Amino acid sequence: MGILANVFTWWNGATFGTWLGLRGKTQVGTDDLGNAYYEGGRDTAGNPRRWVIYAGSNDSSRVPPEWFSWLHHQIEGTPDQSLPPVRQWQKPPVPNQTGTALAYRPPGVLDKGGARVRATGDYEAWSPDA
């Protein structure tokens, strides 16, 4: 991706203006997906401002739950300081699968042949002549 794409397209990652805006801000951590998290300055309510710079496309479903909590001021410190360690039975978060081959497709969808299970006896189809 060239420098012009970085200047004009926000959906492919952080723009040049975003990187300039992060000057003087502190990087507080990264997650397993490579997203970087920054903090610095104050908003109008006096809370610290927090940002995420995505590694790859800008997709908010790629922010893990623990960092989501940090971004939205649900926890004060970074997740490794404020949250208990991950339990053995917990699964890693999965990004949004819509539009991919892994997306959920119910029975009867056209991709699977469009054949639905026959209705049971409690359903009667409407007809205009009835």
Side-chain angles (χ1 to χ4, degrees):
M1 191 119 352
I3 188 75
L4 287 177
N6 186 268
V7 172
F8 295 111
T9 60
W10 57 266
W11 53 88
N12 292 323
T15 61
F16 185 69
T18 303
W19 288 111
L20 286 177
L22 289 175
R23 287 180 301 153
K25 309 304 187 254
T26 306
Q27 183 176 353
V28 295
T30 58
D31 61 20
D32 295 336
L33 299 172
N35 300 328
Y37 297 90
Y38 291 86
E39 185 173 47
R42 299 268 174 198
D43 65 7
T44 56
N47 296 321
R49 288 187 182 250
R50 296 174 174 175
W51 292 270
V52 59
I53 302 298
Y54 298 101
S57 64
N58 293 338
D59 181 7
S60 61
S61 70
R62 295 178 38 138
V63 174
E66 60 272 8
W67 282 103
F68 178 90
S69 298
W70 179 81
L71 283 170
H72 293 272
H73 300 281
Q74 295 172 348
I75 58 174
E76 280 301 315
T78 58
D80 55 344
Q81 298 169 346
S82 300
L83 298 176
V86 177
R87 293 182 172 87
Q88 183 179 2
W89 48 265
Q90 287 179 307
K91 292 183 179 181
V94 179
N96 187 349
Q97 300 297 318
T98 303
T100 68
L102 299 174
Y104 172 72
R105 290 177 175 80
V109 72
L110 293 177
D111 289 350
K112 293 185 176 181
R116 292 179 28 168
V117 179
R118 300 275 310 154
T120 60
D122 63 342
Y123 175 78
E124 183 179 328
W126 176 82
S127 73
D129 299 331

